[in-house]
Amino acid sequence: VQLQASGGGLVQAGGSLKLSCAVSTIMFTVNAMGWYRQAPGKQRELVARIVNGGGTTYADSVKGRCTISRDAAKNTAYLQMNSLKVEDTAVYYCNVVGATEGIPRTEYWGQGTLVTISS
């Protein structure tokens, strides 16, 4: 199972970015998709997560600024980030939980995309 993440980059504080994560494997049943981030010297933390049925979870630090959505037909999740802050700087990792033919429900991680917010 391969995850293709994109959308990271360098923006000024107050700006916006949209991350995307696509599951490239066909016949993959998604249970949940989400984004985690890891800043230098810190532990990886949940940013946002969306489960089948549309339920979402957000870190307190991004509530009101980020929106996670999913295109089920494309097995792609999006993270719209607005009003970005310097402290949002981190490597963002896509996370997917799902199953495919012959493989039971498993957690997968993308390669990480760097988001840098300048002051």
Side-chain angles (χ1 to χ4, degrees):
V1 175
Q2 289 189 329
L3 308 183
Q4 296 176 331
S6 62
L10 171 65
V11 298
Q12 287 190 327
S16 299
L17 279 175
K18 186 173 184 178
L19 307 182
S20 65
C21 175
V23 180
S24 60
T25 303
I26 61 174
M27 301 296 289
F28 187 85
T29 301
V30 171
N31 298 110
M33 298 184 78
W35 291 93
Y36 288 70
R37 67 186 180 186
Q38 187 166 19
K42 295 187 177 181
Q43 290 189 331
R44 190 174 296 188
E45 62 175 0
L46 172 71
V47 179
R49 190 169 185 255
I50 185 167
V51 299
N52 271 349
T56 56
T57 302
Y58 294 94
D60 287 342
S61 59
V62 305
K63 282 181 181 176
R65 301 189 296 119
C66 292
T67 303
I68 190 169
S69 60
R70 180 187 157 203
D71 184 332
K74 296 180 179 180
N75 264 349
T76 299
Y78 304 95
L79 182 67
Q80 177 67 47
M81 303 188 293
N82 301 321
S83 302
L84 285 162
K85 304 176 180 180
V86 171
E87 50 264 42
D88 293 318
T89 296
V91 177
Y92 284 67
Y93 295 91
C94 177
N95 174 276
V96 175
V97 177
T100 188
E101 190 174 1
I103 303 175
R105 189 167 64 182
T106 303
E107 183 177 46
Y108 300 90
W109 292 92
Q111 79 277 16
T113 184
L114 178 62
V115 171
T116 304
I117 312 302
S118 63
S119 59

